[in-house]
Amino acid sequence: MNSPSLSGASDGLLRTLRGYPRRTPLTFAYVCLLLVGHVWIGQVLPADRAAGVLGHLSSNLDNLRDHPFSALLGSVLFFDGTLTDVTSAEFAGTLITFGLGVCCFLAWVEHRWGKARAVAVFLGGHVAATLLTAVVITIALRHGWYPASVRQSLDYGVSYGAQTVLALGTLALPRRGRLPWAVFVLAWPLGGADWSGPLPDFTTIGHLTAAAIGFGLLAVPAIRRTRVRAAGPAAVGPGREPSHDHVPEPRSQASGTRTPPAV
């Protein structure tokens, strides 16, 4: 017989999954787009054509110079990872960037601040981290720290944007969990880093830059300020300010219970 706690957890998970498209429609659509793109690139297109598409959309130095707009935006239409090889380190990276970053924390950002700010945070983190990393690559090439071939390296995926929302998502955690989470966000890209002279590989630099952007957003007053939802000022009470760390969740219209958070 299932225990009441397991049954309650299962019911809560099912309610979360059922309400996911309604509460976070933009993230849900993006997740579907990424899954379709992953199947299209990996299973439908011939290998040479798939390589050509990804090579054109890659945000490497040459592409950023020749077609920056399509390289910056096109590179977030696919995720670099695997959904099937569950014993590989690549799958662990997919769970962190696609699973936690996009499916969970991007959904949390959308649910808390709305679609426009979710796009601004995710895409802004991706673009800013890519461009700042390009500057580092240019400097490293001048000093001979990176090989010249890095100019045409395959560089695409959602991980920079995901890393930004993973860092920003520190606000979603209880206070006691924030420091360990911040350490994890900064440490996991270094786990598989390849060092070349004084620098790690450029993708590690990109992930650390994206994390720094996300953590930097935590200092923005508009980010830390709680937006009181439907209940309005009356729910706060006279002479009281809303908490800066807790976001009240709306009640589910269908069940009358609190809708579980996205993470």
Side-chain angles (χ1 to χ4, degrees), residues 47-63:
D48 56 339
R49 290 190 61 190
V53 171
L54 294 178
H56 181 76
L57 298 179
S58 175
S59 55
N60 55 45
L61 284 186
D62 284 354
N63 284 354

Side-chain angles (χ1 to χ4, degrees), residues 13 40-41 56 71 81 86 93 111 114 138 165 168 191 206 213 231 240 253-254 261:
L13 177 60
W40 181 63
I41 283 290
H56 181 76
V86 297
H111 184 59
T138 301
V165 296
L168 182 59
I213 293 169
R240 295 178 58 189
Q253 295 178 355

Side-chain angles (χ1 to χ4, degrees), residues 8 13 42 45 67 73 81 86 96 100-102 117 134-135 175 185 195 203 215 220 231 241 248:
L13 177 60
L45 284 183
H67 46 277
L73 296 185
V86 297
I96 294 171
L100 288 177
V102 176
R117 291 189 182 183
V135 173
R175 287 185 181 275
V185 171
W195 291 81
T203 57
F215 288 129
V220 178
E241 294 294 329

Side-chain angles (χ1 to χ4, degrees), residues 31-258:
V31 168
C32 292
L33 177 64
L34 289 173
L35 290 174
V36 170
H38 187 73
V39 172
W40 181 63
I41 283 290
Q43 305 295 329
V44 177
L45 284 183
D48 56 339
R49 290 190 61 190
V53 171
L54 294 178
H56 181 76
L57 298 179
S58 175
S59 55
N60 55 45
L61 284 186
D62 284 354
N63 284 354
L64 289 175
R65 180 196 61 198
D66 294 338
H67 46 277
F69 185 78
S70 59
L72 285 170
L73 296 185
S75 59
V76 292
L77 297 178
F78 306 95
F79 64 90
D80 182 18
T82 178
L83 293 173
T84 55
D85 189 4
V86 297
T87 61
S88 66
E90 189 179 15
F91 181 74
T94 301
L95 286 180
I96 294 171
T97 57
F98 178 68
L100 288 177
V102 176
C103 297
C104 295
F105 279 92
L106 180 59
W108 175 81
V109 172
E110 180 186 354
H111 184 59
R112 175 164 180 165
W113 288 294
K115 299 180 183 66
R117 291 189 182 183
V119 171
V121 168
F122 188 87
L123 193 58
H126 165 76
V127 171
T130 299
L131 295 180
L132 290 172
T133 302
V135 173
V136 174
I137 293 173
T138 301
I139 295 172
L141 286 172
R142 290 176 182 173
H143 288 80
W145 296 332
Y146 286 163
S149 60
V150 77
R151 300 185 64 91
Q152 295 90 31
S153 294
L154 193 63
D155 184 23
Y156 69 95
V158 301
S159 58
Y160 291 173
Q163 188 78 345
T164 302
V165 296
L166 284 172
L168 182 59
T170 304
L171 282 178
L173 304 177
R175 287 185 181 275
R176 63 180 178 274
R178 291 178 181 179
L179 180 57
W181 177 255
V183 171
F184 167 75
V185 171
L186 291 172
W188 84 265
L190 293 168
D194 295 322
W195 291 81
S196 181
L199 297 176
D201 57 274
F202 70 90
T203 57
T204 299
I205 291 175
H207 285 102
L208 295 177
T209 302
I213 293 169
F215 288 129
L217 289 173
L218 296 178
V220 178
I223 293 294
R224 295 195 62 85
R225 188 180 303 120
T226 298
R227 185 178 73 178
V228 179
R229 293 179 181 270
V236 179
R240 295 178 58 189
E241 294 294 329
S243 166
H244 294 300
D245 296 315
H246 175 70
V247 180
E249 296 292 339
R251 291 186 177 272
S252 169
Q253 295 178 355
S255 63
T257 59
R258 287 193 181 275

